Amino acid sequence: VVPDALDPFVKAMPLASMIDFQQTGFDLAIQTIQHKKIAIDSMFKLEPIRQHALVIRGVTYAKKDQVVDETANVILTADNITLDGRFEVTKQIYLRDSFEIEEIKKLHKGDVFICFSSGSKRHVGKVAFIAKDTDYAAGGFMGILRTTDLNPRDFYEVCNSEVIQESIKDLSGGSNINNLSSVIGNIKIPIPPTEIQEKIVAECEKELFHLFYQ
């Protein structure tokens, strides 16, 4: 029984609606925030991100692996992605030279660099486009979306669009904030024909982008 004084702050929800049955790693976690379904209005077929991109988690390391002096092992955090989706290297973390970083976790041309976890909901899900190959690696709370069959720049524009960002931030609410990497692949995005993807990128204007993705 909920005390009368707490009644305005309490909401009853079906248990089934508090469990995410779509996760690739199903863990029966009960979430305290009920996700809302974000409607995506598009003329194109919607398909899960996981069908068109690899979801790569960043490098995890111990405090003892971090060093003050510059090394070849450079880790990037969420500070290097602006809130409007630009890649600006402003903070680098150096790991000891003997630390082995998998090549797959380095930022390559065409990657979408993404924040998987943050204490601030404003930063969770923010993305940046990687225009050229780098030796930087994604940090532990970060990740990479690496498309396998879409135009990389168009894929970034979709991920950075208002409706997809809203979907990502909705997923990050509640107790599973640190598990965005395991559920983001379920978000459905519009998949236009290749020629339309190329046209959007060639025009490179937001007005045309919003014409195709409303």
Side-chain angles (χ1 to χ4, degrees):
V1 178
V2 179
D4 292 340
L6 297 179
D7 190 63
F9 308 103
V10 177
K11 177 182 178 182
M13 293 188 295
L15 179 60
S17 70
M18 299 171 68
I19 298 177
D20 184 0
F21 295 97
Q22 302 299 316
Q23 295 188 57
T24 53
F26 185 56
D27 57 9
L28 287 177
I30 296 177
Q31 305 195 41
T32 56
I33 293 181
Q34 186 175 26
H35 298 309
K36 57 181 181 293
K37 292 188 179 297
I38 308 297
I40 300 176
D41 183 14
S42 173
M43 64 181 76
F44 305 114
K45 182 170 64 172
L46 301 177
E47 295 180 352
I49 286 177
R50 67 173 180 271
Q51 291 185 11
H52 298 276
L54 301 175
V55 179
I56 304 167
R57 298 189 187 192
V59 177
T60 56
Y61 54 90
K63 190 68 176 178
K64 64 181 181 180
D65 296 319
Q66 189 173 337
V67 296
V68 176
D69 296 330
E70 293 187 13
T71 69
N73 287 331
V74 184
I75 301 294
L76 296 186
T77 66
D79 297 294
N80 300 285
I81 302 177
T82 66
L83 288 174
D84 60 351
R86 287 177 290 111
F87 181 58
E88 295 182 355
V89 180
T90 60
K91 182 178 180 180
Q92 303 178 45
I93 293 176
Y94 300 101
L95 303 184
R96 55 184 171 80
D97 279 318
S98 57
F99 189 94
E100 294 187 8
I101 296 178
E102 297 177 77
E103 187 65 29
I104 195 173
K105 296 180 184 290
K106 292 184 177 180
L107 298 171
H108 295 162
K109 181 179 180 180
D111 284 347
V112 174
F113 187 32
I114 182 170
C115 177
F116 278 150
S117 178
S118 172
S120 170
K121 193 168 183 177
R122 293 179 66 208
H123 294 277
V124 176
K126 66 180 182 178
V127 295
F129 182 71
I130 305 302
K132 61 182 181 180
D133 289 337
T134 80
D135 287 324
Y136 302 128
F141 295 116
M142 307 297 292
I144 299 169
L145 301 180
R146 183 169 292 157
T147 182
T148 54
D149 59 358
L150 301 177
N151 183 296
R153 181 71 195 193
D154 180 64
F155 178 58
Y156 158 75
E157 294 290 356
V158 174
C159 292
N160 196 42
S161 66
E162 184 176 350
V163 67
I164 299 302
Q165 282 292 303
E166 186 178 355
S167 297
I168 290 173
K169 285 176 171 47
D170 180 57
L171 275 178
S172 70
S175 59
N176 278 344
I177 189 169
N178 291 323
N179 295 326
L180 183 58
S181 60
S182 65
V183 296
I184 194 171
N186 297 325
I187 293 179
K188 292 185 177 182
I189 60 174
I191 307 295
T194 301
E195 61 270 20
I196 298 298
Q197 296 178 42
E198 293 175 349
K199 185 175 181 179
I200 294 172
V201 174
E203 294 294 336
C204 203
E205 292 182 5
K206 287 294 183 180
E207 289 79 11
L208 183 60
F209 175 74
H210 290 303
L211 177 63
F212 290 110
Y213 305 107
Q214 309 208 356

